[in-house]
Amino acid sequence: MIKPGMFISDRYEIVDRVGSGGMADVYKAKCHRLNRYVAIKILKPEYSSDKNFVTKFRGEAQSVAGLSHPNIVNVYDVGDDDGLYYIVMELVEGITLKKFIERKGKLEVKEAVGIAIQIAQGMEAAHDNHIIHRDIKPQNIIISRDGKVKVTDFGIAKAASTNTVTQNAIGSVHYLSPEQARGGYSDERSDIYSLGVTMYEMLSGEVPFAGDNTVSVALLHIQGEATPLRELNPDVPVSLERIVQKCMQKKPERRYISASELISDLKRSIINKDGDYVVINNGVVSDSPTITLSDDEMNHIKSAAKTPVTFIDNNAKDKGTKKVSKEEEEELDSVDSKMEKVLIISMIAAAVLVGCTVLFIVARFFNIFDWGKGNKDTDITPVPSITVTVSPEPTEEPVADLVKVPEVRGLDRDTAISSLTLASRLFNVTLADEKEYSDEYEEGLVMNQNYPAGTEIPSNSTIILTISAGAQPVELIDVYNRSYEQARKQLEDLGFKVERKDEANSDIGAEFVIRTTPERATDPKNPVMLKKGSTVTLVVSTGPDVSALKKVPNLLGKTEEQAKQALLEAGLQKGVTSNIPSSEYAKGAVCYQNTTAGELVTADTKIDISISTGVESTPTPDVSLPDEYGYFGKVTITENPFEEGESGDVYLELEQDGESMLIMQKYLSYDDFPKALKNIKVEGIREGDGIVRMYIDDVPYGSSWSVFLSAEKKK
């Protein structure tokens, strides 16, 4: 089973699955050797087990790897890893031409011509390297985000055409040339026919031939006539209609001989829309498989086979002649030599038979031979019989009846098998080796069948069912200390259901996540994996539990012992005691408490106090303080200056009597609040009130916070 994070050949790391076809699945992967992203196409198991197919597939892919053209998806590598056969290709971010047509209905004329020219240029490069695609169709054309058109699946198409595979694997029959539909020889002109069908669909929004099944569509390619393009789209120029018509001729010799010739006419159609320059050659080859030749024609073929053969293109009078390849001469010579041998043997046999007959008649007339014993005059001489043994014509293998495949996706295994058996008792129903993940089908249900519902197949076919393993597990991300709304959105985007549970908490601010159920992973190497649709409970803080909070008493003016007693009665504790001068409170009285009276705090909170030493004769508290003392206060920044996803440099400044000093500098993000700026200790230059101001990336923030500084012993 291919999963994200898996390595193939210790080089390609699977990132994500991007698509699936009849023969292979396509994944986005990262090549760690060249540090780039690629597309890796991995053959499905039913083709990987066919050694003959794999051999042809690898050979074709390796030959295509030599192609390099802007309009062809480059093939970088081909290989196998523990039974996985794959091709590594250029990763093209874009959309297939099929989806592009479906979105727009039909394309504008200039747009369609531009795309067709780029496809033909890719085909031309391949044909020049003696590579024929054999499966040109909109599904195999990718339009990148920058508008570049690229042809893909070169090697895989040819490999498929040389093996017996299902229709799903080869491609859509709607774009098949007549010679391919008949199972005959295909060449560059077969690709041109398929491009003609693709242009027809781009300009009209529909394929030229459609039917109830693949057989009927194939027959239409062989003997049907498509509706003229201009009847479906009057905006199509006459010249372009003729170009498409020439590409889609039934006989290959009536089509464009090469992609370069097609490109030339397509470019002319942009400038001269109504010009009469598209010439469709008259066909000279009959589609009939049996041709009766006269003696003169036979002698002409024999003599021609022994001399060099030259083919002259009617459309290339000024370009010289084009000779038939040596391979074609040898093939023609071999055919003629075989026919000549058959004729000679037949003539010798006929001559011998005639000679025997004449000798017998002469001998009978003159009674030369004594055919009987004791009765020469009356015995009738028997004519020797000639027995001719005629071999019976080979009988065709019985063809199984065609049966429509029922829809079994969404059914459990047993019900699906019963449904298929009712359609045909001869069906061989098997299950795929491994289950696959599916967001659509629950675990245990059939999620895929190798023949789509409604397809007509032989009644003794093998049907492979793929069982769903349910939704693919997803990693539970860490959302602790994030706002509830942010955490909820992130989890729902991953496909989880979210429930909320409120809980009081003194350390986590209100509306922030305390924890989750299930809990987050503590070891990054062992993440918590949950199926899509699983429920994740967010435990959200409502702030401190008010019912359990204690109210801070007013300690100002009390003695140190009285203050301690008042705190104990309130469920609190006395913290640090310091001595500072005060002109407002008498000597020995509490002149400062670090938590304002009436504020709610948790039980056993320690409250720091300062005891007045009276009015000093020298009003210079800044200088008179011992070195081990300073002026300190605490401030909590409650506002989050960032929007979700934002971050920046945060500066805090203390201002006292017109003087400012930096008290904190940190790089923070939205997720750091409010914990990062809670109970920040502030050190100033004198006792009294101060103002704390905040700056984000050197820009002042609108709010400010008050703080009171008192003398405390430095720690």
Side-chain angles (χ1 to χ4, degrees):
M1 181 63 66
I2 309 300
K3 297 180 181 178
M6 175 180 175
F7 274 80
I8 294 179
S9 296
D10 295 326
R11 176 176 179 178
Y12 304 106
E13 180 185 2
I14 300 298
V15 176
D16 194 13
R17 179 175 174 175
V18 296
S20 179
M23 297 172 58
D25 295 318
V26 184
Y27 297 87
K28 179 180 179 181
K30 184 174 183 180
C31 174
H32 284 270
R33 188 173 300 172
L34 299 177
N35 194 28
R36 65 181 176 185
Y37 286 99
V38 296
I40 184 164
K41 179 167 289 191
I42 301 176
L43 280 183
K44 290 186 175 179
E46 55 263 40
Y47 303 107
S48 299
S49 59
D50 186 342
K51 293 183 179 180
N52 185 37
F53 177 81
V54 169
T55 301
K56 294 179 182 294
F57 162 74
R58 295 185 66 178
E60 292 303 329
Q62 287 169 350
S63 66
V64 175
L67 288 177
S68 180
H69 191 273
N71 298 118
I72 295 177
V73 175
N74 292 322
V75 174
Y76 297 142
D77 189 13
V78 58
D80 65 274
D81 182 7
D82 195 21
L84 293 177
Y85 295 90
Y86 61 87
I87 308 178
V88 181
M89 303 178 296
E90 171 189 4
L91 179 64
V92 182
E93 300 285 352
I95 185 176
T96 65
L97 177 58
K98 186 67 175 180
K99 289 185 178 179
F100 189 61
I101 295 172
E102 290 173 352
R103 287 184 181 180
K104 300 194 69 173
K106 57 185 175 184
L107 309 188
E108 297 178 2
V109 172
K110 287 185 178 180
E111 189 175 37
V113 171
I115 292 173
I117 289 174
Q118 293 191 62
I119 298 172
Q121 288 171 341
M123 287 168 40
E124 181 184 28
H127 294 170
D128 288 344
N129 286 273
H130 311 293
I131 297 174
I132 306 167
H133 193 290
R134 289 180 171 84
D135 196 18
I136 294 290
K137 59 183 179 181
Q139 294 90 329
N140 284 338
I141 311 298
I142 302 176
I143 303 174
S144 65
R145 291 178 178 175
D146 58 358
K148 180 68 71 177
V149 177
K150 290 181 177 283
V151 185
T152 186
D153 269 1
F154 263 95
I156 203 166
K158 184 170 183 180
S161 68
T162 57
N163 288 268
T164 302
V165 293
T166 64
Q167 182 62 37
N168 275 342
I170 296 178
S172 175
V173 73
H174 293 94
Y175 308 92
L176 211 60
S177 67
E179 57 270 24
Q180 288 174 290
R182 284 193 296 262
Y185 177 77
S186 56
D187 58 12
E188 291 88 347
R189 293 169 297 182
S190 304
D191 284 351
I192 290 175
Y193 180 92
S194 299
L195 177 54
V197 177
T198 301
M199 287 192 288
Y200 187 101
E201 185 177 3
M202 283 195 288
L203 293 166
S204 67
E206 58 187 60
V207 292
F209 303 116
D212 295 334
N213 52 60
T214 56
V215 175
S216 62
V217 175
L219 288 174
L220 288 172
H221 278 292
I222 295 171
Q223 57 191 21
E225 291 297 331
T227 304
L229 255 179
R230 287 171 55 81
E231 290 185 16
L232 301 175
N233 185 1
D235 295 334
V236 176
V238 174
S239 60
L240 188 55
E241 183 183 42
R242 292 276 293 170
I243 290 172
V244 176
Q245 185 181 3
K246 183 173 181 178
C247 290
M248 292 175 55
Q249 290 296 302
K250 306 295 183 188
K251 299 177 182 179
E253 62 271 14
R254 299 192 67 186
R255 302 175 202 150
Y256 286 100
I257 296 175
S258 65
S260 57
E261 186 180 317
L262 169 59
I263 294 170
S264 176
D265 275 2
L266 285 171
K267 291 180 177 178
R268 290 179 67 183
S269 72
I270 299 175
I271 302 171
N272 187 6
K273 296 182 179 180
D274 299 321
D276 186 16
Y277 47 81
V278 181
V279 179
I280 301 177
N281 301 324
N282 291 324
V284 294
V285 178
S286 173
D287 285 334
S288 173
T290 303
I291 302 175
T292 303
L293 301 177
S294 64
D295 293 339
D296 290 340
E297 289 173 326
M298 196 66 200
N299 292 330
H300 176 71
I301 291 174
K302 287 181 183 179
S303 60
K306 298 174 183 178
T307 60
V309 179
T310 302
F311 171 79
I312 300 176
D313 180 4
N314 293 332
N315 291 329
K317 294 179 181 178
D318 299 330
K319 299 179 183 178
T321 60
K322 182 178 179 183
K323 294 186 178 181
V324 175
S325 66
K326 183 178 179 181
E327 181 180 334
E328 291 171 331
E329 288 186 34
E330 291 174 352
E331 184 178 351
L332 185 57
D333 286 343
S334 65
V335 172
D336 289 335
S337 62
K338 290 177 182 178
M339 188 176 294
E340 187 174 0
K341 289 178 181 178
V342 172
L343 289 173
I344 291 172
I345 293 171
S346 300
M347 293 172 64
I348 292 172
V352 170
L353 182 62
V354 170
C356 291
T357 305
V358 171
L359 287 174
F360 171 75
I361 294 173
V362 172
R364 181 74 179 87
F365 182 78
F366 292 102
N367 200 21
I368 296 175
F369 302 108
D370 183 9
W371 296 100
K373 292 184 180 180
N375 191 6
K376 297 180 181 179
D377 297 327
T378 59
D379 287 346
I380 299 174
T381 305
V383 179
S385 63
I386 301 175
T387 302
V388 180
T389 303
V390 180
S391 300
E393 293 185 3
T395 58
E396 294 184 357
E397 292 290 333
V399 179
D401 295 334
L402 293 180
V403 178
K404 278 191 177 182
V405 180
E407 177 66 84
V408 296
R409 291 179 301 174
L411 304 178
D412 62 76
R413 184 193 67 176
D414 294 338
T415 306
I417 294 175
S418 298
S419 179
L420 291 168
T421 305
L422 286 174
S424 172
R425 294 185 177 275
L426 299 179
F427 277 154
N428 178 24
V429 183
T430 62
L431 301 180
D433 293 337
E434 293 185 4
K435 295 182 179 180
E436 294 185 11
Y437 293 118
S438 172
D439 294 336
E440 183 178 356
Y441 298 99
E442 295 180 3
E443 183 176 1
L445 300 183
V446 176
M447 60 171 287
N448 194 21
Q449 53 193 90
N450 62 329
Y451 291 105
T455 305
E456 291 188 341
I457 62 174
S459 59
N460 58 353
S461 300
T462 297
I463 298 181
I464 303 173
L465 303 180
T466 304
I467 305 300
S468 170
Q472 185 171 8
V474 180
E475 181 180 349
L476 176 63
I477 61 174
D478 182 5
V479 294
Y480 285 35
N481 296 319
R482 296 185 185 179
S483 70
Y484 167 72
E485 287 300 327
Q486 181 187 12
R488 179 189 60 78
K489 184 177 185 304
Q490 289 177 329
L491 292 173
E492 287 181 346
D493 288 345
L494 291 174
F496 297 128
K497 296 178 182 178
V498 177
E499 290 185 356
R500 172 173 175 155
K501 179 181 178 182
D502 291 335
E503 183 178 296
N505 190 283
S506 302
D507 298 323
I508 304 296
E511 291 300 309
F512 281 79
V513 176
I514 304 170
R515 61 183 181 278
T516 61
T517 304
E519 294 189 354
R520 65 182 176 183
T522 56
D523 183 2
K525 295 182 180 179
N526 296 303
V528 176
M529 306 297 292
L530 302 175
K531 287 189 175 181
K532 286 186 179 181
S534 299
T535 299
V536 177
T537 302
L538 295 177
V539 181
V540 182
S541 172
T542 57
D545 184 1
V546 178
S547 63
L549 296 179
K550 305 298 181 180
K551 188 175 182 180
V552 178
N554 185 7
L555 306 176
L556 299 177
K558 300 180 183 296
T559 65
E560 182 177 0
E561 188 61 33
Q562 289 172 337
K564 181 179 179 180
Q565 186 61 34
L567 290 170
L568 289 174
E569 292 175 356
L572 305 174
Q573 297 182 22
K574 183 176 76 69
V576 177
T577 300
S578 59
N579 296 299
I580 60 173
S582 174
S583 58
E584 184 177 354
Y585 294 97
K587 183 178 180 180
V590 176
C591 62
Y592 168 75
Q593 60 187 81
N594 68 334
T595 305
T596 307
E599 188 174 338
L600 296 175
V601 295
T602 57
D604 296 328
T605 299
K606 293 182 178 181
I607 308 298
D608 297 337
I609 61 175
S610 296
I611 304 299
S612 173
T613 58
V615 179
E616 291 189 350
S617 58
T618 305
T620 54
D622 298 339
V623 179
S624 62
L625 272 180
D627 291 340
E628 65 267 22
Y629 280 85
Y631 297 102
F632 298 97
K634 288 186 179 180
V635 66
T636 296
I637 306 299
T638 57
E639 296 183 30
N640 193 334
F642 297 113
E643 296 293 335
E644 186 174 346
E646 292 182 346
S647 59
D649 286 315
V650 178
Y651 300 85
L652 295 182
E653 281 187 357
L654 172 66
E655 181 181 325
Q656 275 190 301
D657 298 334
E659 295 184 38
S660 299
M661 63 203 73
L662 180 67
I663 60 175
M664 193 205 79
Q665 177 183 353
K666 284 186 180 180
Y667 186 85
L668 301 174
S669 67
Y670 173 86
D671 295 334
D672 293 323
F673 284 82
K675 191 174 182 179
L677 300 182
K678 184 178 180 182
N679 290 329
I680 298 174
K681 194 168 186 177
V682 178
E683 182 177 4
I685 57 175
R686 60 181 60 84
E687 180 184 31
D689 294 326
I691 300 295
V692 176
R693 303 187 190 279
M694 181 163 60
Y695 296 82
I696 308 296
D697 293 331
D698 295 326
V699 178
Y701 186 68
S703 301
S704 60
W705 294 265
S706 298
V707 62
F708 183 84
L709 283 75
S710 60
E712 294 182 18
K713 192 173 182 179
K714 296 179 180 179
K715 296 181 180 179

